[in-house]
Amino acid sequence: MAPGEKIKAKIKKNLPVTGPQAPNIKELMQWYCLNTNTHGCRRIVVSRGRLRRLLWILFTLTAVALIFWQCALLISSFYTVSVSIKVHFQKLDFPAVTICNINPYKYSAVRHLLADLEQETRAALKTLYGFSEITSRKRREAQSWSSVRKGTDPKFLNLAPLMAFEKGDTGKARDFFTGRKRKVNARIIHKASDVMHIHNSKEVVGFQLCSNDTSDCAVYTFSSGVNAIQEWYKLHYMNIMAQVSQEKKINMSYSADELLVTCFFDGVSCDARNFTLFHHPMYGNCYTFNNRQNETILSTSMGGSEFGLQVILYINEEEYNPFLVSSTGAKVIIHRQDEYPFVEDVGTEIETAMATSIGMHLTESFKLSDPYSQCTEDWSDVQITNIYNATYSLQICLHSCFQAKMVENCGCAQYSQPLPRGADYCNYQQHPNWMYCYYQLHQAFVREELGCQSVCKEACSFKEWTLTTSLAQWPSEVSEKWLLSILTWDQSQQIKKKLNKTDLAKLLIFYKDLNQRSIMENPANSIEQLLSNIGGQLGLWMSCSVVCVIEIIEVFFIDSLSIIARHQWHKAKGWWARRRAPACPEAPRAPQGRDNPSLDIDDDLPTFTSALSLPPAPGSQVPGTPPPRYNTLRLERAFSSQLTDTQVPAES
């Protein structure tokens, strides 16, 4: 080794190893433990004794594990919310109120459209239960069932045959029309099987639907004949009404002047002009009060029934369809002005001959959107087309999704929901397979197999009115005579008969008080709080700060990767040098003796003292000092003859 290289090596050996200057990872870790500010790592290196060092290793690893655990809990709980409730006392906007008669269309107006369906329904009832309908009312002139049987084949019973199963025998069923038993080769689907247990010994009634494209059939059964008859009738009723134009259906339903007898709001008289027509496919003409007419919303400044909405409704039970509806009254729903009224889902029923008082409490909720919850503020992050002319809600999304699946799979739209663009309502003439497809799709929707429940999200902000309903008999016996007489005289132009209390219903809707409750979600944590909590955990378990964290990142990531990269670079460089080196013939290997490591020396020869400290070679014997050859100690002449001038004279 050259003298300059020796000096460089000695200087490098004496200098402290820092960061990536360390030759390997082990020395880098030793340097970090000796110089770090975290005391546990330093105690691992400087501690004496194996037991103490093992204890410090255990303590340090435990502290590191606790830090990771606590920090993970802090990060996982970062996207939590805190709920704050505020109560305001102020003047409140009155909600929109939609009122519908339970009977959608006047029976006298739609009777000619439903005549064949009702004849087959009465015939099936007589076959199964053996009774005749009371025909005392003038408006109902029931035809004999014999004329139905003697005429042409039944249309509706052939499309969806009604049948009854007895004593758990699912292989045979009694046909409603013929009264005979027939073999059934179809799947039996009970409408209540998902929520309750149906005994096999109980007689069930249902109807069969088959696909025209295939021989696949399904029988939908019910535990009660009432439910089966009404569902079967409703199915054919939707098919018939889907072929009637919107204008004709509006004319066949109730007008605002017929439905609304009297009206008061906030102590001021109102009339039908304050209501907006809303036609519902299953409830006919409905009327909405305070539906933002002329861009104004009515408000109330006081709580109590005297400062709310008071209406008297004319129900007219004689015009009710006997098979479509089985109750008498009206339905009312309270909603926002820009919200679609789902009368069939959340409507409140109003009884006749009763005064129904509905007290309201307004609650306004505001939720945080992603990443705190899965709510949506608008339609931007929901891949469903809104078929309703209203603001977003979860119900709108679900119904829109089902209607889109209906159009996609069945080729037509379901009658009870709005019509999508470019689609037609289902009917027998254009879509003979729609009933079977609809029921199959509805079963998949209930089982959440269509994906609508996973796509649709809850709205982030919404208003909700908590309702408290109370009933009272109206009118009373003492006031019935004069009150009904005056109402009959007032409505003489619209109603051509004397009013009966069973034809009327009184409705009162009001704020119980003007306290508006607001429920708001706020982030429970912030970035500053998260950093403070993590810093507290680091200081508690490792007496560490942000500088220590930066130091750890530098040593364990930057320096370690630098050392690994340098080693890999040297390996690659050596491999490339060996590959580029010219090939030379191998010289014959000379026999080599056994090397003694104790005799290996470099350019810098050891001193005597250091040589004595060299370890002996393993398995070898150090030879001892041989005895001197004494004959070599004799003086020998260097010349054969002595020179004359060097001769010593002999002594005498």
Side-chain angles (χ1 to χ4, degrees):
M1 182 182 292
E5 296 294 333
K6 292 181 183 180
I7 296 174
K8 289 182 181 180
K10 290 181 179 180
I11 294 175
K12 185 177 179 180
K13 183 177 181 182
N14 295 329
L15 287 175
V17 178
T18 57
Q21 298 175 2
N24 50 52
I25 300 296
K26 180 180 179 181
E27 293 190 12
L28 176 64
M29 294 297 104
Q30 289 179 351
W31 172 85
Y32 168 75
C33 293
L34 287 173
N35 295 276
T36 184
N37 293 326
T38 55
H39 303 300
C41 297
R42 182 179 179 84
R43 299 302 302 176
I44 293 175
V45 178
V46 302
S47 295
R48 295 182 179 181
R50 292 184 177 179
L51 178 60
R52 184 172 296 181
R53 185 171 296 177
L54 289 175
L55 289 176
W56 276 108
I57 292 175
L58 179 62
F59 293 155
T60 304
L61 294 179
T62 304
V64 172
L66 289 173
I67 288 175
F68 277 104
W69 176 48
Q70 294 293 328
C71 291
L73 291 178
L74 292 174
I75 295 175
S76 62
S77 62
F78 179 76
Y79 291 113
T80 57
V81 297
S82 61
V83 179
S84 61
I85 300 177
K86 297 181 180 180
V87 179
H88 308 278
F89 183 83
Q90 59 185 4
K91 187 177 181 180
L92 297 178
D93 292 336
F94 202 79
V97 179
T98 299
I99 303 172
C100 306
N101 197 323
I102 291 181
N103 185 58
Y105 304 105
K106 300 176 185 178
Y107 184 80
S108 58
V110 298
R111 182 180 173 184
H112 65 285
L113 298 174
L114 307 176
D116 295 339
L117 176 60
E118 292 194 2
Q119 289 175 7
E120 294 187 25
T121 304
R122 294 190 182 99
L125 288 175
K126 185 177 181 181
T127 302
L128 179 64
Y129 298 104
F131 72 92
S132 300
E133 186 185 12
I134 300 176
T135 58
S136 59
R137 297 187 179 183
K138 296 181 180 180
R139 66 176 181 84
R140 295 175 183 171
E141 299 175 357
Q143 299 181 8
S144 63
W145 295 283
S146 59
S147 62
V148 177
R149 292 188 180 183
K150 293 179 182 179
T152 59
D153 292 337
K155 174 183 178 182
F156 302 100
L157 288 174
N158 284 337
L159 291 172
L162 280 166
M163 54 188 63
F165 297 85
E166 297 180 358
K167 297 182 180 181
D169 186 8
T170 58
K172 293 183 179 180
R174 185 159 54 96
D175 191 282
F176 267 45
F177 182 73
T178 62
R180 301 176 181 177
K181 287 189 176 182
R182 52 178 292 189
K183 188 176 181 181
V184 178
N185 296 322
R187 294 179 290 110
I188 307 298
I189 301 175
H190 201 286
K191 298 290 287 184
S193 61
D194 294 336
V195 295
M196 62 180 64
H197 178 69
I198 303 299
H199 297 284
N200 294 331
S201 60
K202 187 175 182 179
E203 183 181 55
V204 293
V205 182
F207 51 86
Q208 178 177 308
L209 297 177
C210 296
S211 174
N212 294 339
D213 300 334
T214 62
S215 59
D216 187 17
C217 295
V219 177
Y220 296 90
T221 60
F222 303 80
S223 57
S224 172
V226 173
N227 297 333
I229 293 294
Q230 285 186 329
E231 186 73 13
W232 179 84
Y233 184 91
K234 181 180 177 181
L235 197 64
H236 295 293
Y237 167 84
M238 291 190 299
N239 176 80
I240 295 174
M241 298 306 297
Q243 304 175 55
V244 182
S245 65
Q246 182 85 351
E247 183 180 358
K248 289 184 178 180
K249 287 187 288 187
I250 292 177
N251 294 330
M252 290 187 298
S253 187
Y254 301 90
S255 65
D257 294 327
E258 291 175 331
L259 180 65
L260 303 168
V261 179
T262 63
C263 175
F264 276 91
F265 175 74
D266 204 8
V268 180
S269 178
C270 55
D271 54 23
R273 292 173 296 180
N274 299 102
F275 290 81
T276 305
L277 173 63
F278 164 70
H279 186 81
H280 192 279
M282 300 304 298
Y283 286 91
N285 290 346
C286 301
Y287 297 93
T288 304
F289 176 78
N290 194 26
N291 193 24
R292 194 181 288 179
Q293 288 182 335
N294 300 324
E295 298 299 325
T296 58
I297 299 177
L298 301 177
S299 59
T300 179
S301 57
M302 294 290 291
S305 59
E306 297 296 328
F307 300 93
L309 176 65
Q310 302 181 29
V311 293
I312 296 178
L313 306 176
Y314 177 55
I315 303 303
N316 194 9
E317 184 183 1
E318 289 188 357
E319 288 287 352
Y320 269 46
N321 189 321
F323 300 110
L324 184 63
V325 292
S326 57
S327 58
T328 305
K331 267 199 171 185
V332 58
I333 180 173
I334 299 170
H335 56 95
R336 297 191 326 189
Q337 280 73 18
D338 56 354
E339 186 178 5
Y340 184 85
F342 286 96
V343 183
E344 68 279 18
D345 294 338
V346 292
T348 302
E349 293 189 353
I350 307 301
E351 297 184 38
T352 57
M354 302 290 288
T356 304
S357 299
I358 301 178
M360 301 183 298
H361 276 294
L362 175 60
T363 301
E364 195 169 7
S365 301
F366 300 93
K367 300 183 65 176
L368 294 175
S369 58
D370 189 71
Y372 295 95
S373 66
Q374 296 298 322
C375 69
T376 179
E377 298 180 357
D378 48 24
W379 282 91
S380 60
D381 54 346
V382 179
Q383 304 300 324
I384 299 296
T385 302
N386 186 0
I387 62 175
Y388 295 83
N389 187 22
T391 187
Y392 177 85
S393 68
L394 180 60
Q395 286 177 302
I396 284 180
C397 182
L398 291 176
H399 287 295
S400 299
C401 179
F402 179 79
Q403 192 74 302
K405 297 293 184 181
M406 186 77 184
V407 174
E408 178 183 352
N409 292 275
C410 305
C412 57
Q414 204 261 344
Y415 174 70
S416 62
Q417 303 301 331
L419 189 65
R421 181 179 299 178
D424 298 323
Y425 281 128
C426 298
N427 59 77
Y428 297 140
Q429 284 71 21
Q430 297 179 0
H431 313 93
N433 193 37
W434 79 268
M435 286 194 301
Y436 177 80
C437 180
Y438 165 71
Y439 269 90
Q440 293 291 99
L441 201 65
H442 187 267
Q443 290 291 327
F445 177 79
V446 173
R447 294 192 297 265
E448 300 185 4
E449 296 177 356
L450 299 182
C452 296
Q453 287 81 357
S454 60
V455 174
C456 294
K457 302 178 181 179
E458 188 179 1
C460 291
S461 61
F462 55 90
K463 289 183 179 181
E464 183 180 13
W465 284 268
T466 304
L467 307 181
T468 304
T469 305
S470 59
L471 300 176
Q473 184 179 354
W474 180 89
S476 62
E477 294 182 0
V478 295
S479 61
E480 176 181 348
K481 185 175 181 179
W482 73 266
L483 193 148
L484 293 179
S485 299
I486 294 178
L487 291 177
T488 301
W489 184 82
D490 290 340
Q491 300 295 319
S492 59
Q493 295 182 355
Q494 299 294 334
I495 303 172
K496 305 298 182 182
K497 70 167 190 174
K498 184 179 180 180
L499 294 178
N500 191 310
K501 69 176 183 179
T502 58
D503 292 331
L504 301 175
K506 186 175 182 180
L507 174 65
L508 297 92
I509 301 176
F510 54 92
Y511 279 112
K512 299 181 70 175
D513 51 50
L514 298 183
N515 293 333
Q516 176 184 352
R517 186 174 62 172
S518 299
I519 302 177
M520 304 182 65
E521 289 185 351
N522 300 301
N525 301 293
S526 62
I527 297 296
E528 294 80 5
Q529 292 176 339
L530 179 63
L531 294 178
S532 299
N533 293 333
I534 293 177
Q537 295 297 326
L538 292 174
L540 175 64
W541 298 108
M542 292 289 291
S543 66
C544 187
S545 63
V546 177
V547 178
C548 296
V549 175
I550 298 175
E551 184 182 82
I552 292 172
I553 295 174
E554 178 188 11
V555 172
F556 283 87
F557 292 95
I558 301 177
D559 294 351
S560 299
L561 293 177
S562 176
I563 292 174
I564 295 173
R566 186 173 66 243
H567 281 224
Q568 296 298 327
W569 169 253
H570 288 319
K571 287 184 179 179
K573 191 175 180 181
W575 172 80
W576 183 255
R578 290 192 300 271
R579 184 177 180 183
R580 295 291 299 273
C584 56
E586 294 186 3
R589 297 185 62 182
Q592 297 180 355
R594 186 174 184 179
D595 296 334
N596 187 352
S598 62
L599 300 179
D600 290 342
I601 60 175
D602 55 4
D603 297 336
D604 190 6
L605 298 177
T607 61
F608 179 77
T609 305
S610 61
L612 292 178
S613 62
L614 292 174
S620 63
Q621 296 181 356
V622 180
T625 305
R629 297 175 59 184
Y630 295 100
N631 57 353
T632 60
L633 298 178
R634 291 181 300 173
L635 296 176
E636 295 183 355
R637 294 181 179 180
F639 302 97
S640 58
S641 61
Q642 187 72 24
L643 296 177
T644 56
D645 57 348
T646 62
Q647 292 181 354
V648 180
E651 296 179 357
S652 55

PDB file of all heavy atoms in Angstrom, residues 441-453:
ATOM      1  N   LEU A 441     -88.551  -8.854 -10.913  1.00  0.00           N
ATOM      2  CA  LEU A 441     -87.663  -7.718 -10.641  1.00  0.00           C
ATOM      3  C   LEU A 441     -87.921  -7.143  -9.253  1.00  0.00           C
ATOM      4  O   LEU A 441     -86.979  -6.730  -8.557  1.00  0.00           O
ATOM      5  CB  LEU A 441     -87.872  -6.648 -11.712  1.00  0.00           C
ATOM      6  CG  LEU A 441     -86.728  -5.642 -11.905  1.00  0.00           C
ATOM      7  CD1 LEU A 441     -85.494  -6.361 -12.422  1.00  0.00           C
ATOM      8  CD2 LEU A 441     -87.139  -4.544 -12.864  1.00  0.00           C
ATOM      9  N   HIS A 442     -89.165  -7.123  -8.840  1.00  0.00           N
ATOM     10  CA  HIS A 442     -89.483  -6.602  -7.507  1.00  0.00           C
ATOM     11  C   HIS A 442     -88.913  -7.502  -6.414  1.00  0.00           C
ATOM     12  O   HIS A 442     -88.430  -7.010  -5.377  1.00  0.00           O
ATOM     13  CB  HIS A 442     -91.003  -6.467  -7.357  1.00  0.00           C
ATOM     14  CG  HIS A 442     -91.419  -5.794  -6.085  1.00  0.00           C
ATOM     15  ND1 HIS A 442     -91.720  -6.497  -4.934  1.00  0.00           N
ATOM     16  CD2 HIS A 442     -91.549  -4.476  -5.770  1.00  0.00           C
ATOM     17  CE1 HIS A 442     -92.048  -5.645  -3.976  1.00  0.00           C
ATOM     18  NE2 HIS A 442     -91.941  -4.415  -4.450  1.00  0.00           N
ATOM     19  N   GLN A 443     -88.966  -8.802  -6.614  1.00  0.00           N
ATOM     20  CA  GLN A 443     -88.359  -9.718  -5.648  1.00  0.00           C
ATOM     21  C   GLN A 443     -86.849  -9.495  -5.557  1.00  0.00           C
ATOM     22  O   GLN A 443     -86.274  -9.499  -4.468  1.00  0.00           O
ATOM     23  CB  GLN A 443     -88.654 -11.171  -6.056  1.00  0.00           C
ATOM     24  CG  GLN A 443     -90.105 -11.580  -5.897  1.00  0.00           C
ATOM     25  CD  GLN A 443     -90.530 -11.667  -4.446  1.00  0.00           C
ATOM     26  OE1 GLN A 443     -89.741 -12.012  -3.577  1.00  0.00           O
ATOM     27  NE2 GLN A 443     -91.786 -11.338  -4.187  1.00  0.00           N
ATOM     28  N   ALA A 444     -86.211  -9.271  -6.693  1.00  0.00           N
ATOM     29  CA  ALA A 444     -84.771  -8.993  -6.681  1.00  0.00           C
ATOM     30  C   ALA A 444     -84.472  -7.661  -6.010  1.00  0.00           C
ATOM     31  O   ALA A 444     -83.456  -7.509  -5.326  1.00  0.00           O
ATOM     32  CB  ALA A 444     -84.224  -9.010  -8.107  1.00  0.00           C
ATOM     33  N   PHE A 445     -85.357  -6.683  -6.176  1.00  0.00           N
ATOM     34  CA  PHE A 445     -85.159  -5.382  -5.528  1.00  0.00           C
ATOM     35  C   PHE A 445     -85.276  -5.498  -4.015  1.00  0.00           C
ATOM     36  O   PHE A 445     -84.489  -4.895  -3.270  1.00  0.00           O
ATOM     37  CB  PHE A 445     -86.188  -4.387  -6.073  1.00  0.00           C
ATOM     38  CG  PHE A 445     -86.128  -3.040  -5.427  1.00  0.00           C
ATOM     39  CD1 PHE A 445     -85.161  -2.122  -5.807  1.00  0.00           C
ATOM     40  CD2 PHE A 445     -87.028  -2.681  -4.428  1.00  0.00           C
ATOM     41  CE1 PHE A 445     -85.097  -0.868  -5.208  1.00  0.00           C
ATOM     42  CE2 PHE A 445     -86.972  -1.441  -3.832  1.00  0.00           C
ATOM     43  CZ  PHE A 445     -86.006  -0.534  -4.226  1.00  0.00           C
ATOM     44  N   VAL A 446     -86.233  -6.265  -3.539  1.00  0.00           N
ATOM     45  CA  VAL A 446     -86.403  -6.452  -2.095  1.00  0.00           C
ATOM     46  C   VAL A 446     -85.200  -7.176  -1.505  1.00  0.00           C
ATOM     47  O   VAL A 446     -84.751  -6.858  -0.390  1.00  0.00           O
ATOM     48  CB  VAL A 446     -87.716  -7.208  -1.811  1.00  0.00           C
ATOM     49  CG1 VAL A 446     -87.834  -7.575  -0.341  1.00  0.00           C
ATOM     50  CG2 VAL A 446     -88.907  -6.373  -2.247  1.00  0.00           C
ATOM     51  N   ARG A 447     -84.643  -8.132  -2.237  1.00  0.00           N
ATOM     52  CA  ARG A 447     -83.460  -8.864  -1.760  1.00  0.00           C
ATOM     53  C   ARG A 447     -82.162  -8.091  -1.996  1.00  0.00           C
ATOM     54  O   ARG A 447     -81.085  -8.626  -1.736  1.00  0.00           O
ATOM     55  CB  ARG A 447     -83.382 -10.221  -2.454  1.00  0.00           C
ATOM     56  CG  ARG A 447     -84.510 -11.169  -2.095  1.00  0.00           C
ATOM     57  CD  ARG A 447     -84.215 -12.573  -2.587  1.00  0.00           C
ATOM     58  NE  ARG A 447     -84.121 -12.626  -4.038  1.00  0.00           N
ATOM     59  CZ  ARG A 447     -85.122 -12.955  -4.852  1.00  0.00           C
ATOM     60  NH1 ARG A 447     -86.309 -13.261  -4.329  1.00  0.00           N
ATOM     61  NH2 ARG A 447     -84.966 -12.982  -6.158  1.00  0.00           N
ATOM     62  N   GLU A 448     -82.264  -6.852  -2.488  1.00  0.00           N
ATOM     63  CA  GLU A 448     -81.119  -5.972  -2.726  1.00  0.00           C
ATOM     64  C   GLU A 448     -80.130  -6.576  -3.716  1.00  0.00           C
ATOM     65  O   GLU A 448     -78.919  -6.470  -3.575  1.00  0.00           O
ATOM     66  CB  GLU A 448     -80.402  -5.632  -1.409  1.00  0.00           C
ATOM     67  CG  GLU A 448     -81.281  -4.926  -0.398  1.00  0.00           C
ATOM     68  CD  GLU A 448     -80.519  -4.500   0.832  1.00  0.00           C
ATOM     69  OE1 GLU A 448     -79.283  -4.688   0.847  1.00  0.00           O
ATOM     70  OE2 GLU A 448     -81.150  -3.989   1.776  1.00  0.00           O
ATOM     71  N   GLU A 449     -80.683  -7.218  -4.750  1.00  0.00           N
ATOM     72  CA  GLU A 449     -79.847  -7.818  -5.785  1.00  0.00           C
ATOM     73  C   GLU A 449     -79.670  -6.913  -6.999  1.00  0.00           C
ATOM     74  O   GLU A 449     -78.843  -7.212  -7.859  1.00  0.00           O
ATOM     75  CB  GLU A 449     -80.452  -9.152  -6.229  1.00  0.00           C
ATOM     76  CG  GLU A 449     -80.504 -10.212  -5.131  1.00  0.00           C
ATOM     77  CD  GLU A 449     -81.179 -11.487  -5.586  1.00  0.00           C
ATOM     78  OE1 GLU A 449     -81.670 -11.502  -6.746  1.00  0.00           O
ATOM     79  OE2 GLU A 449     -81.232 -12.456  -4.805  1.00  0.00           O
ATOM     80  N   LEU A 450     -80.427  -5.835  -7.084  1.00  0.00           N
ATOM     81  CA  LEU A 450     -80.313  -4.927  -8.233  1.00  0.00           C
ATOM     82  C   LEU A 450     -79.225  -3.885  -8.047  1.00  0.00           C
ATOM     83  O   LEU A 450     -78.858  -3.202  -9.007  1.00  0.00           O
ATOM     84  CB  LEU A 450     -81.656  -4.228  -8.485  1.00  0.00           C
ATOM     85  CG  LEU A 450     -82.843  -5.129  -8.828  1.00  0.00           C
ATOM     86  CD1 LEU A 450     -84.079  -4.288  -9.098  1.00  0.00           C
ATOM     87  CD2 LEU A 450     -82.535  -6.009 -10.030  1.00  0.00           C
ATOM     88  N   GLY A 451     -78.719  -3.726  -6.844  1.00  0.00           N
ATOM     89  CA  GLY A 451     -77.668  -2.751  -6.583  1.00  0.00           C
ATOM     90  C   GLY A 451     -78.156  -1.349  -6.309  1.00  0.00           C
ATOM     91  O   GLY A 451     -77.342  -0.433  -6.154  1.00  0.00           O
ATOM     92  N   CYS A 452     -79.474  -1.143  -6.257  1.00  0.00           N
ATOM     93  CA  CYS A 452     -79.991   0.210  -6.019  1.00  0.00           C
ATOM     94  C   CYS A 452     -79.659   0.694  -4.612  1.00  0.00           C
ATOM     95  O   CYS A 452     -79.329   1.867  -4.403  1.00  0.00           O
ATOM     96  CB  CYS A 452     -81.502   0.239  -6.239  1.00  0.00           C
ATOM     97  SG  CYS A 452     -82.007  -0.109  -7.945  1.00  0.00           S
ATOM     98  N   GLN A 453     -79.753  -0.195  -3.626  1.00  0.00           N
ATOM     99  CA  GLN A 453     -79.492   0.210  -2.246  1.00  0.00           C
ATOM    100  C   GLN A 453     -78.040   0.596  -2.035  1.00  0.00           C
ATOM    101  O   GLN A 453     -77.741   1.417  -1.156  1.00  0.00           O
ATOM    102  CB  GLN A 453     -79.882  -0.913  -1.279  1.00  0.00           C
ATOM    103  CG  GLN A 453     -81.373  -1.116  -1.108  1.00  0.00           C
ATOM    104  CD  GLN A 453     -82.000  -1.924  -2.226  1.00  0.00           C
ATOM    105  OE1 GLN A 453     -81.324  -2.293  -3.177  1.00  0.00           O
ATOM    106  NE2 GLN A 453     -83.290  -2.219  -2.112  1.00  0.00           N
TER     107      GLN A 453
END
